[in-house]
Amino acid sequence: MPFAASLRCLVLAAALGWAGPAAAHPHVWVTAKAELAYEAGRVAGIRHTWTFDSAYSSFVTQGLDTNGDGKLSSEELQGLATENTGNLAEFAYFTKLKVAGKEQTFAEPRDARMVMDGDRLTLSFLLPLKAPAAQGRGVAALEVYDPTYFVAFSLAEGADAVRLPGAAPGCITTVTRAKNTEPAAAQPGQSMTEAMFEALTAASNYGEQFANRAIVACP
C-alpha cells in the first residue's frame, strides 16, 4: 500500500475507534534520524531513518508475512519500502534543505529498505540532491515535518539524531526538536476538526510550526 494511501486509510480507522478519536491529530508518529551525506566537500543528499509507532507499523504490514513464519523479513518488506518512498514526492519528502542560503531540490529516493524490530517498523532511504551543493563556510539548514500535520515527526534523542558523514572537520550541528504542543485553533474559540485537517494540503504548510530543524555550520 502506498505511504500516502496508507496514511489516509488511518483516518477511517480512527473514525471507527481503532486508532483513537476521529478528531485526534496527528495520526502517525515517527521518530527520525538523518545523515547529511557529503561527497568531496559538497552536500550530496540526506539519508533518512524513520521509525513508526507500533499501531501504524501493525496496520501497514498486514498480510506481508508471505511465508507464514510469524516474522517480517527485509525481503517481505521490500515492496512496501520501494512503493512508500516512491509516493513521498507528493509531500516533498517531508524534507526541506537549504545549503548556503539556497533551497535544494531532490532526485528520486534510493536504497529504500524496511526492517521490523519488535513491534516497530523502520524505513531508511537516501534522498539525493539533484546536484551536490557546495556549503563552504555557509550553513546547511534541514527541516523535517509534515505540512499537513497528519504525521508527527520527532528527532531521536542523542547525538546521533543528525550525523554528518564525510563533512569537513569542525562542523557543528545545532538541533531544534518539534514542539510538544497541541495544534492551535484556526480562529480564536474554534477547534481544529478532522474535516479541517483533511482540507489541508502540503501548500497549506500548517505543520511547519511542528518542524524539526538542524543547522550545520562548518568552518
Side-chain angles (χ1 to χ4, degrees), residues 9-144:
C9 282
L10 279 179
V11 175
L12 177 59
L16 295 175
W18 181 79
H25 245 77
H27 290 285
V28 181
W29 288 262
V30 174
T31 302
K33 293 183 178 182
E35 292 183 357
L36 266 67
Y38 288 79
E39 294 179 1
R42 294 172 176 259
V43 181
I46 304 163
R47 186 172 295 280
H48 282 301
T49 302
W50 296 344
T51 300
F52 299 93
D53 66 87
S54 57
Y56 176 78
S57 298
S58 174
F59 176 82
V60 79
T61 56
Q62 291 180 32
L64 297 184
D65 182 15
T66 54
N67 62 9
D69 66 353
K71 301 177 182 179
L72 288 167
S73 66
S74 295
E75 291 74 20
E76 288 171 322
L77 293 168
Q78 187 56 51
L80 181 65
T82 301
E83 194 171 14
N84 281 354
T85 52
N87 283 277
L88 286 172
E90 178 185 353
F91 300 93
Y93 306 102
F94 300 125
T95 304
K96 285 187 177 181
L97 178 67
K98 287 185 178 181
V99 179
K102 296 181 180 179
E103 187 159 351
Q104 303 300 306
T105 56
F106 302 108
E108 292 185 359
R110 303 200 312 257
D111 305 336
R113 184 172 181 267
M114 275 183 169
V115 295
M116 195 75 170
D117 185 5
D119 61 354
R120 295 180 182 270
L121 184 68
T122 295
L123 168 68
S124 61
F125 62 96
L126 175 65
L127 186 58
L129 273 60
K130 285 190 174 179
Q135 181 176 345
R137 295 186 177 180
V139 167
L142 171 67
E143 294 185 341
V144 180

